[in-house]
Amino acid sequence: MAVTQISVFVENKPGRFAEISTRLERAKVKTLAFCIADAGDFGIIRLVVNRPELATKALKGFAESSIHVIATSITKKFSVSKIAVLLRSKKINIDYAYTSTKPIGGNPTLILRVDDIARTEKALKEKGAKVLVQEDLS
Amino acid sequence: MEECVIMESRTLFYSSIEMIDKKELKELQLKRLRETVQILYDKNLYFGKKLRQAKVKPSDIIKLDDLSKIPFTTKDDLRVNYPTKLVNVGLDQVVRFHVSSGTTGDPTVVAYTESDIDRWSELNARCLAMMGVKRGDIIQIAYGYGLFTGGLGIHYGAERLGISIIPSSAGNTKRQIKLIRDMHATVLACTPSYALYIAETAIQEGLEPKKDLNLRVGVFGAEPWSESVRKRLIDQICPEPYDIYGLSELCGPGVAAECHYRNGLHVWADNFIPEIIDPKTGEVLEPGEEGELVFTTINKEAMPLLRYRTRDVSRMDFDTCSCGRTHPRILRIRGRSDDMMKIRGVNVFPSQIEYVLQRMDELGDQYQIVLTKLGPLDDLKVKVEVKPSAVSDKPWEMVGLKKRVEDEIRSVLNLNLEVDLVEPGSLPRSEGKAKRVLDLRGQA
Ligand SMILES: [Zn+2]
């Protein structure tokens, strides 16, 4: 379950994000959500895309790695704060979160990085929230 | 047990002189030293004058220790005598000139007679045999051929041993890989940094160098390298990487090399007398002490050199090696005294930084040391490429990696340095000697 997030190591200098997004575009990979985490001289670009294998190929030469993250639809019933409160009630810590650049399956989507993916997924699903899988992104 | 099996399958020795009795070796050295001093005293205008000025007569050389009475020779002596004033035979007897570019100033010329080439070939044959290279092996020589001595020196040794040679010379990395693969080369000779670059390129082409290439032995020299680089070479390209040492001024490669015990490089002491001196005072140091390597050639015709200062920093071990060779060993070259950087009062060699970087699995093979000025003081920064496996989605974990590298350098060098993690492929690659130090001190 869950979806793949690609993390790319980049030096903090002009043009690195342009290089990455151009390469993905050329490989016809759709970027659905991204966020740039800066750490001074370098940063990590986190990407959720429709075709992770294709993206990894397109980013050949970059130092990158993949992990699983939770993608959950933001709806009237499950607003960002509702989701946060829900996770707090289960004592699930959020390392970081960001949102999609466009609606996925009709809804904006919250990307969550948590330690225990299975427990988070269970908590969300129990209350009826929609948790996306990689196939939902293609 | 495994060690024994390896030993039996090896041509361990090219010549019985490699196991010469130590006393006999000393007698031979003294005899050849006296001949060399005599011939330079009589025939060489420049060295003859130098000896007279130092009030040294050939008859003063009675025992090996008397070598210390003789003045040193430096690269400057070679430069001021450019191009051929130091040649000690008629120019019609010279069959070869090699020229080293010299990073600063005039180039230096080294001349060889036919017999010099012959002896040089034998020394390289000894080195290769010592590494377990034998008939049936195919060696790809990716050192530059030409004015540089690397390519031809190893070539002659391989020819003498009677093994198949692919003289690929340096450069065109993709073709190098194709040839190693198609020709089933078992031995690769090049700089260690180029070997790692070949492995990196092979991986980029979708190959697994250790599986898809058939390399067994690496003859890696022309730049100092550390044990952690050895580990990388074993992991990435060949199971048996050996260090080979030489200087174009002495002949080129083949002055010394490692046997399979890899506990220092055996110097062919029937051809060269090694000494370790204090680079400041010129005094000869005790065995085991670290200092500048100095060589006297005692078996050369065209251009013998007395007490040539190499600028390389090392130590000597005179104990007989487990392999049975009696020739003394120079321990790994720590670096050139020219490369030694003084940072906030601490002496630093690039090789020490390399040692730290290359034993950390998260870091790639490429690094660069950037020297800058911080006010009136020299400052130093290290750039190192990260491996994909080191990438975390959490940048603070990568900051942690940077800190760990800095801590590690601090504990080894006793120095606070800034480390920059950079993207793979962002630092310059080299097909010959790697340029690890970028000096920006002139640019304020
Ligand atoms: Zn040995």
Side-chain angles (χ1 to χ4, degrees):
Chain A
M1 292 313 217
V3 301
T4 300
Q5 170 187 284
I6 299 171
S7 315
V8 192
F9 172 86
V10 283
E11 286 167 51
N12 191 355
K13 60 187 184 195
R16 301 318 288 151
F17 186 58
E19 170 76 21
I20 289 171
S21 48
T22 313
R23 283 213 210 171
L24 293 178
E25 211 169 82
R26 263 197 228 125
K28 302 208 165 28
V29 173
K30 268 189 268 175
T31 303
L32 300 164
F34 76 89
C35 111
I36 302 176
D38 152 74
D41 294 330
F42 59 84
I44 302 293
I45 298 180
R46 302 161 180 152
L47 303 154
V48 173
V49 300
N50 62 337
R51 306 274 308 273
E53 334 73 55
L54 218 61
T56 305
K57 246 185 225 154
L59 296 176
K60 196 175 146 184
F62 275 97
E64 45 91 15
S65 65
S66 298
I67 51 151
H68 283 130
V69 289
I70 295 281
T72 182
S73 301
I74 304 170
T75 59
K76 269 216 179 92
K77 192 167 169 226
F78 290 98
S79 64
V80 172
S81 66
K82 284 265 170 54
I83 296 170
V85 170
L86 171 63
L87 296 183
R88 181 183 65 187
S89 72
K90 299 281 180 190
K91 294 205 163 51
I92 292 169
N93 183 49
I94 302 171
D95 287 325
Y96 57 82
Y98 53 105
T99 55
S100 62
T101 52
K102 54 189 125 211
I104 302 171
N107 292 309
T109 300
L110 182 65
I111 309 291
L112 289 168
R113 169 68 154 116
V114 290
D115 281 340
D116 195 334
I117 289 205
R119 218 155 63 80
T120 311
E121 212 169 64
K122 191 162 164 260
L124 288 166
K125 279 183 171 168
E126 265 172 12
K127 296 281 173 191
K130 181 165 173 53
V131 179
L132 305 179
V133 294
Q134 191 62 44
E135 290 72 50
D136 295 326
L137 305 184
S138 53
Chain B
M1 192 60 210
E2 202 184 318
E3 195 71 0
C4 297
V5 177
I6 291 171
M7 283 195 53
E8 278 164 22
S9 67
R10 269 163 202 268
T11 315
L12 269 173
F13 301 96
Y14 177 79
S15 154
S16 59
I17 201 157
E18 295 169 43
M19 288 176 295
I20 184 175
D21 175 79
K22 278 188 186 170
K23 195 166 154 273
E24 263 176 71
L25 177 60
K26 282 197 168 155
E27 283 162 12
L28 179 67
Q29 283 182 321
L30 180 60
K31 176 177 159 278
R32 288 183 171 171
L33 172 64
R34 296 186 63 170
E35 286 164 5
T36 302
V37 173
Q38 185 75 56
I39 216 159
L40 287 172
Y41 192 84
D42 294 343
K43 287 177 67 182
N44 194 287
L45 280 180
Y46 186 78
F47 287 132
K49 193 171 151 203
K50 247 183 119 163
L51 287 166
R52 281 176 187 93
Q53 276 171 350
K55 299 196 166 55
V56 180
K57 293 191 298 292
S59 56
D60 294 335
I61 310 297
I62 297 159
K63 51 189 193 308
L64 274 177
D65 287 349
D66 294 328
L67 182 59
S68 62
K69 296 175 182 164
I70 296 173
F72 294 112
T73 306
T74 66
K75 189 127 187 151
D76 281 336
D77 291 308
L78 272 67
R79 280 205 191 98
V80 299
N81 287 288
Y82 178 84
T84 55
K85 275 180 263 175
L86 288 184
V87 176
N88 212 40
V89 294
L91 282 183
D92 58 345
Q93 292 192 50
V94 172
V95 298
R96 171 75 55 75
F97 294 107
H98 276 287
V99 180
S100 84
S101 55
T103 37
T104 50
D106 265 335
T108 51
V109 174
V110 183
Y112 303 69
T113 64
E114 202 177 338
S115 112
D116 285 337
I117 296 271
D118 184 63
R119 288 163 193 173
W120 186 30
S121 311
E122 186 196 320
L123 298 184
N124 277 287
R126 287 189 206 169
C127 291
L128 291 170
M130 180 157 65
M131 298 171 183
V133 177
K134 55 187 179 300
R135 212 172 260 273
D137 271 318
I138 300 172
I139 185 171
Q140 182 153 321
I141 301 175
Y143 285 111
Y145 279 68
L147 289 176
F148 175 58
T149 51
L152 284 166
I154 307 280
H155 186 102
Y156 292 141
E159 224 166 48
R160 181 64 66 90
L161 264 190
I163 63 176
S164 318
I165 302 171
I166 307 166
S168 63
S169 194
N172 199 338
T173 309
K174 288 190 177 165
R175 191 182 61 189
Q176 300 276 6
I177 295 165
K178 184 174 167 48
L179 286 174
I180 295 173
R181 210 175 163 207
D182 296 348
M183 308 290 288
H184 304 287
T186 52
V187 183
L188 173 66
C190 61
T191 60
S193 53
Y194 192 46
L196 289 173
Y197 183 54
I198 289 176
E200 183 187 356
T201 310
I203 291 165
Q204 274 168 14
E205 297 203 321
L207 296 174
E208 255 185 77
K210 282 199 70 183
K211 220 177 86 212
D212 297 322
L213 308 180
N214 198 26
L215 293 172
R216 188 182 85 252
V217 172
V219 185
F220 298 137
E223 63 191 21
W225 50 291
S226 59
E227 278 310 307
S228 31
V229 167
R230 166 130 52 213
K231 193 175 165 295
R232 289 199 170 216
L233 290 163
I234 292 172
D235 288 345
Q236 291 178 32
I237 193 151
C238 68
E240 294 180 50
Y242 294 101
D243 197 354
I244 184 165
Y245 175 81
L247 278 165
S248 61
E249 295 88 332
L250 301 181
C251 65
V255 173
E258 286 177 318
C259 66
H260 72 278
Y261 285 95
R262 299 170 185 179
N263 51 5
L265 294 81
H266 288 281
V267 179
W268 301 124
D270 55 329
N271 281 260
F272 309 98
I273 302 179
E275 296 171 279
I276 297 281
I277 63 155
D278 178 329
K280 288 203 187 72
T281 63
E283 244 166 90
V284 179
L285 298 176
E286 292 297 313
E289 280 189 279
E290 186 175 80
E292 182 180 338
L293 254 174
V294 169
F295 287 103
T296 297
T297 72
I298 50 173
N299 204 17
K300 281 189 75 179
E301 289 179 343
M303 249 180 85
L305 295 178
L306 297 173
R307 306 191 86 202
Y308 184 72
R309 291 185 63 158
T310 64
R311 304 278 165 204
D312 287 329
V313 177
S314 182
R315 285 184 289 139
M316 299 275 325
D317 188 337
F318 288 89
D319 291 343
T320 303
C321 178
S322 311
C323 72
R325 286 180 185 80
T326 43
H327 295 244
R329 283 159 290 143
I330 45 179
L331 302 180
R332 268 175 177 283
I333 306 287
R334 258 233 295 168
R336 294 184 70 83
S337 57
D338 303 355
D339 292 341
M340 197 174 78
M341 302 169 285
K342 207 168 180 107
I343 308 296
R344 282 167 253 144
V346 182
N347 291 339
V348 181
F349 285 100
S351 57
Q352 290 174 290
I353 294 174
E354 174 185 285
Y355 175 75
V356 172
L357 300 177
Q358 307 263 296
R359 70 180 180 187
M360 297 185 72
D361 286 338
E362 298 93 334
L363 305 178
D365 301 321
Q366 301 295 330
Y367 67 92
Q368 194 175 45
I369 295 161
V370 185
L371 270 169
T372 50
K373 267 243 172 315
L374 193 73
L377 295 172
D378 287 343
D379 201 27
L380 199 159
K381 189 180 202 178
V382 179
K383 290 182 169 193
V384 59
E385 292 184 3
V386 295
K387 274 193 198 161
S389 60
V391 176
S392 160
D393 62 315
K394 300 171 179 170
W396 54 92
E397 287 184 355
M398 304 218 39
V399 173
L401 170 63
K402 172 187 155 98
K403 289 254 154 29
R404 264 197 294 136
V405 184
E406 287 170 350
D407 286 349
E408 198 65 16
I409 290 178
R410 187 176 312 118
S411 71
V412 172
L413 280 85
N414 203 12
L415 199 63
N416 287 314
L417 294 185
E418 197 192 334
V419 170
D420 265 358
L421 302 179
V422 301
E423 291 172 30
S426 62
L427 296 175
R429 265 61 172 166
S430 154
E431 289 168 348
K433 298 189 189 198
K435 202 165 178 293
R436 300 299 196 184
V437 182
L438 181 65
D439 194 342
L440 298 177
R441 282 174 300 182
Q443 310 167 14

